């Protein structure tokens, strides 16, 4: 699509979504429009930024904005969300009251991680769709490992486990789980020429053995660096 076509489509989408529900318009702006805006920012103004760094930065930006938006939404709307979710899980998922409370508590305690996880899935596949030919050459800055190392020491050495250190630890881990997917894919392409099979194996490993994918991603970030082409 041309820039003019994209602009027209986004304006029409925003008008339609705004008419349906202004809250959904906020989600559209802070999630999808932000992803697209940062994609163009890196592509035209910061073309030397590593592809995986772009994915991480975009996902973090979406997480922060969506986190603030949802927190503001919850605190300013007079709705008992716990009661709403309890009714939903009890009615449609056949959870008992104990299971429902445990599930809601778990979601609350891991909310930032899940926001980041969903954002990174979206951004990761978007970049694959526009840069699939260079996918195996993507690189990452190993400094992102600090997002895992710092909260790990705060939690296990200094016993400072709280909502933020807990979520940051999981975010740091999932970054390199995703890079582990890319690293396994790059390795397999040396021997297997079927992209679908390589993707299936690399994602299957991450889903079945996430910590193994994390270790592979860390090693890939340190030792398997390659020059990459800038996408257009």
């Amino acid at each position: 699509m041309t820039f003019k076509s994209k602009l027209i489509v986004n304006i029409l989408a925003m008008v339609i979504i705004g008419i349906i529900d202004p809250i959904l318009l906020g989600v559209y702006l802070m999630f999808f429009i932000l992803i697209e805006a940062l994609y163009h920012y890196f592509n035209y103004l910061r073309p030397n930024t590593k592809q995986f760094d772009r994915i991480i930065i975009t996902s973090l930006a979406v997480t922060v904005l969506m986190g603030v938006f949802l927190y503001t939404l919850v605190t300013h709307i007079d709705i008992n969300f716990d009661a709403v979710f309890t009714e939903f899980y009890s009615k449609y998922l056949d959870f008992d009251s104990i299971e429902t409370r445990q599930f809601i508590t778990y979601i609350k305690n891991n909310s930032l991680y899940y926001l980041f996880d969903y954002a990174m899935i979206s951004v990761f596949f978007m970049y694959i769709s526009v840069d699939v030919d260079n996918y195996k050459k993507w690189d990452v800055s190993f400094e992102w490992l600090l997002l895992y190392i710092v909260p790990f020491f705060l939690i296990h050495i200094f016993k400072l486990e709280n909502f933020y250190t807990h979520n940051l630890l999981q975010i740091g881990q999932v970054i390199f789980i995703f890079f582990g997917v890319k690293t396994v894919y790059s390795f397999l392409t040396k021997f297997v020429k079927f992209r679908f099979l390589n993707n299936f194996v690399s994602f299957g490993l991450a889903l079945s053995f996430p910590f193994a994918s994390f270790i592979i991603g860390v090693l890939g970030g340190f030792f398997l660096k390659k020059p990459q082409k800038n996408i257009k």
Side-chain angles (χ1 to χ4, degrees):
M1 298 177 66
T2 64
F3 176 78
K4 183 178 179 180
S5 299
K6 293 178 182 178
L7 187 62
I8 292 173
V9 168
N10 277 316
I11 290 174
L12 287 175
M14 286 188 285
V15 170
I16 294 171
I17 294 171
I19 293 172
I20 296 172
D21 191 338
I23 292 176
L24 292 180
L25 178 59
V27 174
Y28 185 74
L29 290 171
M30 296 182 194
F31 198 99
F32 299 105
I33 294 296
L34 179 58
I35 290 174
E36 185 172 348
L38 287 175
Y39 167 76
H40 292 298
Y41 167 76
F42 286 118
N43 206 30
Y44 295 108
L45 299 180
R46 298 291 297 275
N48 293 324
T49 304
K50 298 173 182 177
Q51 244 71 335
F52 219 85
D53 287 358
R54 302 182 191 191
I55 294 172
I56 297 168
I57 293 169
T58 302
S59 301
L60 287 172
V62 170
T63 301
V64 171
L65 278 184
M66 286 296 298
V68 172
F69 175 72
L70 293 176
Y71 177 79
T72 304
L73 186 66
V74 169
T75 55
H76 285 79
I77 294 181
D78 187 21
I79 296 177
N80 187 337
F81 283 92
D82 281 9
V84 172
F85 285 123
T86 298
E87 181 180 357
F88 174 82
Y89 293 127
S90 299
K91 183 176 180 180
Y92 295 103
L93 300 180
D94 199 27
F95 284 9
D96 61 33
S97 59
I98 296 177
E99 289 174 329
T100 301
R101 284 196 300 271
Q102 290 175 339
F103 190 73
I104 292 174
T105 300
Y106 179 81
I107 293 296
K108 285 183 176 180
N109 292 341
N110 297 274
S111 55
L112 280 181
Y113 161 69
Y114 280 115
L115 276 175
F116 179 83
D117 201 18
Y118 288 124
M120 190 155 186
I121 289 171
S122 300
V123 181
F124 186 75
F125 279 104
M126 186 271 287
Y127 268 89
I128 288 179
S129 70
V130 299
D131 193 35
V132 66
D133 292 333
N134 295 315
Y135 174 41
K136 63 182 180 181
K137 300 177 182 177
W138 289 2
D139 198 4
V140 68
S141 298
F142 69 88
E143 288 84 358
W144 291 112
L145 190 59
L146 290 173
L147 290 179
Y148 178 83
I149 293 175
V150 172
F152 180 88
F153 277 97
L154 289 176
I155 292 172
H156 296 285
I157 303 299
F158 299 102
K159 308 302 179 184
L160 295 176
E161 183 169 10
N162 53 46
F163 173 81
Y164 296 102
T165 57
H166 175 71
N167 279 268
L168 196 59
L169 177 72
Q170 294 187 92
I171 288 172
Q173 185 174 19
V174 81
I175 285 173
F176 282 90
I177 288 176
F178 272 94
F179 196 71
V181 170
K182 176 264 163 189
T183 303
V184 172
Y185 176 88
S186 300
F187 176 77
L188 291 175
T189 54
K190 297 178 181 179
F191 308 98
V192 182
K193 301 304 179 183
F194 298 101
R195 285 180 176 176
F196 174 79
L197 179 60
N198 295 338
N199 277 316
F200 180 80
V201 173
S202 57
F203 278 100
L205 176 66
L207 291 172
S208 302
F209 306 99
F211 192 73
S213 184
F214 168 74
I215 296 298
I216 293 171
V218 171
L219 294 175
F222 274 101
F223 302 116
L224 301 179
K225 294 182 177 296
K226 291 183 178 180
Q228 59 182 12
K229 297 179 181 179
N230 294 324
I231 60 176
K232 296 296 183 182

